[in-house]
Amino acid sequence: MRTPVTIIGAGLGGLTLARVLHTHDIPVEVYEAEASPEARAQGGMLDIHDYNGQLALEAAGLMEEFRAIVLEGRQAIRALGQDGAVLFEKADDGTGGRPEAQRADLRRMLLDALPEGTVRWGRKVTGARNLGGGRHEVTFADGSTVTTSLLVGADGAWSRVRPLLSESMPEYAGTSFVETYLYDADRRHPAVAEAIGGGAMFAPAPGKVIHAHRERGDTLHAYVELTRPLEWFDGIDFADPAAAATRVAAEFDGWAPQLTALITDTDTPPVLRPHYALPDRHQWDRTPGVTLVGDAAHLLAPDGEGANRAMYDGAELAKALAANPDDVEAGLAEYEQAMFTRMSQADEETSLHLEEMFGDGVAESLLALDPEHQQDH
């Protein structure tokens, strides 16, 4: 196949797609809005699963490189009660199927595996239009355009490519994270560091959860999840970090101080991250010359699978195109039908992931805390 593939978005899904295409000698160009790989922080830890994310890395020929960036011991997990007591704990014994790595390290690994110049930085897309015959024109913020006969939207929740295929737009999912960091935690916040342990910790209650993870060194990264309408968060002045932290911490009044300190003692301003989702089982009719991967295709509220699904999408799309070198449309149709089927089973996938981490019976108890899951069952 010699048709160049134009990818919008240099996240994990788009870069995995580009890398697997490269291994099949299929020409590819990636356009990314960010000015450089270092333009912004890339988020925290990701557990890469042996049934999707790792399969994508195998297809990319990067498992050895991946193992080199894995942070050992981070698969350890514990659940705490509101009083800080350990309710459940599972050590990292080296046999788990979800090794942890920093998102930034994964992205850099994928970038390093592509020929120099594959990614065009600072190219923010403002729109795309169908020219007919499977060709599309992409317009950038600087007024320039590119025309392509194979366009892939890997540009996330607010994809500029998605309108070519679907009128659906993400809607607020009912939950939000407030993100915080504690640095040099073993020395400066020893009680909090001890509570978190060596890997991940979560402290659940109906309508609220404190998640935290030990990242490289002794950095603690927390996601405080609240089930609240967007209007509730509008009442918090996040431009005043101290006031915002105090207001969010008030939702956990009476909880153990080693838990609430993840909010009140944050070394960074609390950052609000609302969760959005596309309609369940989001699909579209086959449109020549264009498709989507990752959140652009099937955005869901965080469930521990998003990055893995995006990488798997990218690898599967590349494999389908490589397997149909003389019929691009057959490759796109094959990929989309398989992806639609996978996403129709997303709830089961999340449940299996939780069972893998926690064991029989625990997964359903944890899912029962999720308002969306309660509505679906």
Side-chain angles (χ1 to χ4, degrees):
M1 175 182 152
R2 302 308 304 169
T3 303
V5 182
T6 299
I7 302 170
I8 307 302
L12 297 181
L15 292 176
T16 302
L17 169 60
R19 166 62 186 181
V20 180
L21 289 171
H22 174 63
T23 66
H24 289 281
D25 296 321
I26 296 173
V28 58
E29 53 192 18
V30 183
Y31 294 90
E32 168 57 46
E34 293 174 5
S36 73
E38 294 77 31
R40 67 175 180 88
Q42 294 298 313
M45 299 282 287
L46 294 174
D47 50 329
I48 305 303
H49 308 154
D50 54 10
Y51 53 85
N52 48 22
Q54 290 183 47
L55 297 180
L57 292 175
E58 288 176 1
L62 294 173
M63 280 303 292
E64 183 176 347
E65 290 83 351
F66 170 64
R67 292 188 185 99
I69 65 171
V70 167
L71 294 179
E72 300 297 338
R74 298 310 198 277
Q75 291 186 70
I77 190 165
R78 60 174 50 163
L80 302 183
Q82 298 173 29
D83 59 357
V86 177
L87 304 177
F88 173 88
E89 186 162 24
K90 184 175 181 180
D92 181 359
D93 62 3
T95 64
R98 48 182 191 86
E100 300 265 359
Q102 301 268 172
R103 181 187 288 267
D105 293 344
L106 273 169
R107 192 191 197 202
R108 171 50 63 188
M109 180 192 75
L110 289 163
L111 285 168
D112 288 347
L114 292 171
E116 187 174 353
T118 299
V119 179
R120 323 292 174 83
W121 300 97
R123 305 300 299 278
K124 180 179 176 61
V125 173
T126 57
R129 65 188 183 105
N130 192 330
L131 300 178
R135 293 177 63 76
H136 294 87
E137 180 185 77
V138 179
T139 301
F140 300 98
D142 62 4
S144 64
T145 62
V146 64
T147 300
T148 177
S149 56
L150 211 175
L151 176 63
V152 181
D155 48 343
W158 308 103
S159 171
R160 297 290 189 171
V161 178
R162 187 192 301 122
L164 295 170
L165 296 166
S166 168
E167 295 180 355
S168 295
M169 290 290 291
E171 295 185 359
Y172 181 56
T175 61
S176 294
F177 283 153
V178 177
E179 183 181 16
T180 65
Y181 282 89
L182 270 62
Y183 300 127
D184 193 14
D186 289 329
R187 183 180 64 85
R188 298 176 56 239
H189 309 281
V192 184
E194 184 177 355
I196 304 309
M201 180 282 300
F202 69 103
K208 63 186 75 173
V209 189
I210 298 178
H211 308 264
H213 213 135
R214 182 181 288 271
E215 297 189 350
R216 182 176 288 107
D218 57 357
T219 292
L220 302 180
H221 188 180
Y223 294 96
V224 180
E225 184 172 3
L226 292 168
T227 304
R228 299 286 187 277
L230 282 174
E231 293 76 15
W232 186 87
F233 292 100
D234 289 341
I236 300 176
D237 182 8
F238 282 92
D240 183 339
T246 298
R247 180 64 189 88
V248 173
E251 297 301 299
F252 298 87
D253 184 43
W255 286 44
Q258 63 266 39
L259 294 174
T260 56
L262 288 162
I263 309 167
T264 57
D265 294 354
T266 178
D267 291 318
T268 58
V271 176
L272 176 64
R273 301 202 182 280
H275 301 154
Y276 290 85
L278 287 164
D280 287 346
R281 296 170 176 79
H282 178 238
Q283 299 185 16
W284 54 85
D285 294 332
R286 172 91 289 281
T287 299
V290 59
T291 194
L292 306 171
V293 300
D295 284 350
H298 44 67
L299 177 68
L300 297 174
D303 62 357
E305 294 284 351
N308 285 277
R309 290 187 185 120
M311 294 165 66
Y312 192 75
D313 281 355
E316 290 299 291
L317 173 55
K319 288 159 60 178
L321 291 172
N324 295 274
D326 300 320
D327 192 343
V328 168
E329 285 306 305
L332 294 177
E334 176 184 313
Y335 156 73
E336 287 183 349
Q337 287 307 308
M339 183 263 292
F340 294 154
T341 299
R342 283 197 305 277
M343 292 310 301
S344 72
Q345 300 165 348
D347 263 1
E348 294 177 29
E349 189 176 67
T350 301
S351 181
L352 287 171
H353 178 210
L354 290 170
E355 289 287 3
E356 177 190 77
M357 287 196 294
F358 304 111
D360 294 342
V362 179
E364 189 61 32
S365 298
L366 296 175
L367 281 173
L369 293 171
D370 180 352
E372 291 188 359
H373 181 80
Q374 292 172 352
Q375 293 170 8
D376 293 340
H377 293 75

